[in-house]
Amino acid sequence: MNEPIRVAVTGAAGNIGYALLFRLASGSCFGPDQPIILQLLEIPPGMGALEGVVMELRDAAFPLLHGIVASDDPNVAFKDLDAAFLVGSRPRSKDMDRADLIKINGPIFTGQGKALNDNAKPTVKVLVVGNPCNTNALIASHAAPNIPNTQFHAMTRLDENRAKGQIAKKLGLSPGQVGNLAIWGNHSNTMFPDFYHAKADGKDVVTAVGEAWGQGEFMKTVSTRGKAIIVARGASSAASAASAAIDHMRTWWDGTAEGEFSSMAIYSNGEYGVPAGIIFSFPVTVKDGRASIVEGLVHNDYAKSKIAATAAELSQEREAVADLLG
Ligand code: NAX
């Protein structure tokens, strides 16, 4: 049995937190031989509900759960961390547009970035889920100069999983038979789910599904899925978001299989003509805890225009929070 690792979850009493914690404690993310200490952060009004979640975690008697810390102080919750899931932030309400959300949530990530810088291990793997997650990850990274910017990721794995689910359904396959489905760009409806490079059962997806379906129904379904779930369920995606967060961190922890890639929003150094200095979702391979952007994928004009549009949106988001980037 390994030494326990310390894993933080912010917004731990929220919907995604509730679905995430029990899977982390059961070993779904870091494996069946890896004990963990969960370090849970909430804001003061959430501490009562968090107490209840902590009771339930104890009541589940997970053998791998070697400790629980619950706090409203990031300097306590982020002490000596190996991994962090930054989920907590204000969800968008009906009367709010994206720009309002960025202004409200941005400062949270300045404070949490600083607390990570001051308390976590410099090798900590930070996955930002709270929206707007790409730009929040950028803000947190800027506030944490002692942690390499390669250690800050944002989550587009839910978009990848949604895209795989749609292709699998269309072709009558299981999602595990669909691979190399890259999400490019922002976790917003401008993201580009790249069906051109995806494989289904070893064959080209675009040939199997047809370009018209790819550019039409598929793009629309994937990019508006979050809203469709809210309409149907009366609440935003929670279990699938938590599951995607587990998938992202597990891939980061364990690496990608030979010949396969996955989508992670990571710091851009100008790859594929994307502006440097934004957190952009690329297809990546992962080895020894490091994500490397897959090189040499060739895009047609349609894909290029989609990638340019989502990059432009992220550049605008970066401008909107320029005062938080120091
Ligand atoms: P909830 O409102 O259920 O939970 C959020 C929790 O965060 C609350 O308990 C709140 O008290 C806490 N919180 C707020 N500010 C905090 C702070 N400064 N420090 C610590 N905790 C804080 O939202 P939930 O459904 O769990 O969603 C959480 C976030 O995930 C939202 O920003 C949401 O937009 C985002 N999502 C991101 C997805 C992605 O693919 N990247 C998909 C799902 C989800 O929409």
Side-chain angles (χ1 to χ4, degrees):
M1 202 49 102
N2 299 318
E3 282 294 302
I5 55 169
R6 293 180 178 271
V7 179
V9 176
T10 73
N15 287 311
I16 295 175
Y18 193 68
L20 183 58
L21 295 175
F22 294 83
R23 292 197 56 200
L24 289 172
S26 71
S28 296
C29 188
F30 300 102
D33 300 320
Q34 181 58 66
I36 73 171
I37 297 168
L38 283 174
Q39 307 196 160
L40 311 178
L41 182 72
E42 259 296 342
I43 47 176
M47 288 305 287
L50 183 58
E51 208 177 301
V53 176
V54 169
M55 288 184 215
E56 283 203 74
L57 280 167
R58 293 199 195 288
D59 294 350
F62 292 111
L64 290 172
L65 187 54
H66 282 213
I68 307 172
V69 174
S71 178
D72 58 9
D73 180 354
N75 292 306
V76 173
F78 293 171
K79 199 83 201 146
D80 298 327
L81 285 187
D82 297 282
F85 294 83
L86 304 189
V87 180
S89 58
R90 237 184 84 192
R92 187 161 144 184
S93 54
K94 271 190 212 139
D95 51 343
M96 239 189 241
D97 65 19
R98 209 172 159 81
D100 297 329
L101 192 70
I102 289 171
K103 286 281 174 211
I104 291 170
N105 282 336
I108 296 176
F109 291 85
T110 313
Q112 293 188 355
K114 187 175 180 318
L116 285 165
N117 193 63
D118 295 348
N119 296 284
K121 293 181 183 166
T123 52
V124 64
K125 291 177 169 57
V126 182
L127 176 61
V128 180
V129 175
N131 278 323
C133 60
N134 298 53
T135 297
N136 288 340
L138 186 68
I139 294 168
S141 161
H142 272 260
N146 297 336
I147 302 173
N149 57 23
T150 50
Q151 299 305 111
F152 286 85
H153 290 189
M155 185 173 96
T156 52
R157 185 65 169 259
L158 179 56
D159 307 298
E160 176 184 327
N161 287 349
R162 285 169 173 167
K164 284 178 170 169
Q166 289 305 307
I167 290 168
K169 183 169 160 237
K170 171 88 176 161
L171 298 177
L173 300 172
S174 66
Q177 291 172 284
V178 183
N180 290 4
L181 193 300
I183 301 296
W184 297 80
N186 201 3
H187 169 66
S188 79
N189 56 14
T190 67
M191 51 99 194
F192 173 49
D194 183 359
F195 55 92
Y196 287 104
H197 293 102
K199 301 276 179 200
D201 217 9
K203 300 185 197 83
D204 288 341
V205 162
V206 65
T207 313
V209 299
E211 208 170 5
W213 182 81
Q215 292 185 6
E217 195 182 325
F218 169 73
M219 286 283 296
K220 185 161 177 258
T221 305
V222 176
S223 65
T224 58
R225 191 66 159 182
K227 202 168 176 192
I229 286 168
I230 293 174
V231 170
R233 215 172 78 87
S236 62
S237 339
S240 57
S243 195
I246 298 270
D247 288 346
H248 181 127
M249 189 61 84
R250 194 178 52 224
T251 301
W252 196 357
W253 205 258
D254 290 345
T256 42
E258 194 60 40
E260 282 180 20
F261 59 68
S262 187
S263 311
M264 293 181 172
I266 64 172
Y267 199 82
S268 161
N269 291 302
E271 295 85 352
Y272 287 97
V274 169
I278 54 177
I279 300 268
F280 191 92
S281 182
F282 289 103
V284 299
T285 55
V286 182
K287 192 163 189 279
D288 300 329
R290 254 193 105 84
S292 309
I293 296 168
V294 174
E295 292 177 4
L297 298 177
V298 177
H299 294 298
N300 61 17
D301 287 346
Y302 173 81
K304 280 183 193 157
S305 73
K306 291 283 171 201
I307 290 171
T310 193
E313 183 181 56
L314 280 168
S315 295
Q316 279 166 15
E317 288 189 14
R318 181 181 52 184
E319 269 168 41
V321 299
D323 56 321
L324 300 178
L325 300 179

